[in-house]
Amino acid sequence: MPARGQLVLDVLRCGICGSDLHAREHCDGLADVLEELGYEHFMRTSSATVMGHEFVGEVVERGRGVRREFREGAHVVSFPLVRRGREGHPVGLSPLAPGGYAERVLVEQSMSFVVPNGLAPEVAALTEPMAVALHAVNEARLSRRDTAIVLGCGPVGLAVICWLKARGVRTVVASDLSAGRRALAERCGADVVVDPTERSPYDAAGRRFVTTAPDLFRYGLDAMDKLRLVPGWHHVFRAADRLGAAQPGGPVVFECVGVPGMIDSVVTAAPMATRVVVVGVCMGTDAFRPSMGINKQVDLRFVAYYSPLEFRDTLHALADGTVDASPLVTGTVGLDGVEAAFAALGDPDRHAKVLIDPRSAVDSL
């Protein structure tokens, strides 16, 4: 029974997230991290939890005080947080907030959005993972002129590529070991696609970046030799600095793999002044050399989740065609097919994003 301001949805589609795959094996480690952050109700191997936080549903029950826009029959997506008493819980990641791997799910009206333009459920269900990617792209603070390099073309990496091209970024390089994932990256709009065992994604970008200490020293000396010939050179330098042109620029790298060693690999191999946005969730302990990052002035930023505004904006971008996420979906199963879907998602050449349709009888992929 929904409480005041809550809705019960019939689940129409629910995506299987990479974090669901991780949580199935590593939820105790995640729970330990969340406990350090003061939350004690994250799922553990000892708790029965209904997963699923990437869902779209149809309103079937309304609590008191629910606004008219959430009429029965309306299709709705929801930011996956729900109240229980005075506390909030992540939907599909806590035993106290059952998720969308089910026929019905409980959500908050304040965190929910009516699906516009008759958007198909299989696309509306991509709102949550696409919002994760939008947040990563927003936090990168990049321009159309920047070179973006996406390492790892799983669902998150592919979603990042979709957003980069929707934003008009001129050069997007995608790197993945899987031929199937590289093909999907091309469908999402990547300009250059590489197998990292055969070619460096940094070399494939088609721009000459400063990559070594001697190059950096020479860059600084040559620039100052020319500038000191100009009267009031410091004013020119200051103006160039404001425009971001006084220092050698590097690419913007989105690390979407999330395995131990990736951060050190990026810091070591990337050009000088690279901005690194860490999107992939590494479940193990990792290490990198700060001295390498310092000497290369690498900007390392970790991102997670998204804001309610980014969630809403993602839904409307999908509905009006601003961003096309259709290449991400590679299969659909019913509730009886979840186990098979988890197994299939272990093969990167077979699938990227699999959706669950609770009304479907499909039990294999």
Side-chain angles (χ1 to χ4, degrees), residues 171-196:
T171 305
V172 177
V173 179
S175 173
D176 199 284
L177 296 170
S178 162
R181 293 285 173 87
R182 293 197 299 272
L184 286 173
E186 287 184 322
R187 289 182 59 197
C188 290
D191 301 289
V192 182
V193 177
V194 300
D195 178 343

Side-chain angles (χ1 to χ4, degrees), residues 308-323:
L309 180 60
E310 287 169 326
F311 190 89
R312 178 264 177 206
D313 288 350
T314 297
L315 172 64
H316 283 264
L318 290 168
D320 64 24
T322 300
V323 64

Side-chain angles (χ1 to χ4, degrees), residues 45-229:
T45 52
S46 59
S47 62
T49 303
V50 179
M51 289 182 174
H53 55 272
E54 305 176 356
F55 54 82
V56 57
E58 180 180 319
V59 177
V60 290
E61 291 186 51
R62 296 154 37 96
R64 290 179 299 124
V66 168
R67 296 190 299 275
R68 291 182 180 178
E69 64 181 302
F70 298 109
R71 67 186 186 284
E72 289 189 12
H75 287 191
V76 168
V77 294
S78 187
F79 191 111
L81 277 177
V82 69
R83 290 185 188 277
R84 183 165 177 169
R86 297 180 60 85
E87 301 296 326
H89 301 282
V91 175
L93 294 170
S94 168
L96 300 181
Y101 290 13
E103 295 178 345
R104 291 188 172 184
V105 65
L106 180 72
V107 300
E108 299 289 333
Q109 97 168 330
S110 63
M111 306 296 277
S112 299
F113 305 88
V114 174
V115 175
N117 298 347
L119 185 65
E122 56 267 26
V123 181
L126 299 175
T127 300
E128 198 278 344
M130 289 298 292
V132 170
L134 174 60
H135 180 67
V137 171
N138 284 344
E139 290 297 303
R141 306 288 193 265
L142 78 174
S143 72
R144 295 182 178 185
R145 297 185 302 275
D146 282 314
T147 296
I149 299 175
V150 180
L151 305 179
C153 298
V156 171
L158 295 172
V160 167
I161 293 168
C162 290
W163 275 115
L164 291 169
K165 296 313 294 182
R167 290 282 179 88
V169 176
R170 295 172 188 169
T171 305
V172 177
V173 179
S175 173
D176 199 284
L177 296 170
S178 162
R181 293 285 173 87
R182 293 197 299 272
L184 286 173
E186 287 184 322
R187 289 182 59 197
C188 290
D191 301 289
V192 182
V193 177
V194 300
D195 178 343
T197 64
E198 298 179 355
R199 189 182 184 191
S200 164
Y202 309 106
D203 295 339
R207 281 183 60 182
R208 185 175 180 181
F209 298 109
V210 175
T211 58
T212 69
D215 286 343
L216 181 63
F217 302 155
R218 190 161 42 248
Y219 178 96
L221 289 167
D222 290 348
M224 286 307 295
D225 284 346
K226 295 173 183 177
L227 273 173
R228 292 305 292 267
L229 297 174

Side-chain angles (χ1 to χ4, degrees), residues 268-290:
T268 300
M272 302 284 183
T274 292
R275 278 175 283 160
V276 182
V277 182
V278 182
V279 194
V281 181
C282 177
M283 299 305 302
T285 300
D286 206 354
F288 67 94
R289 292 173 292 170

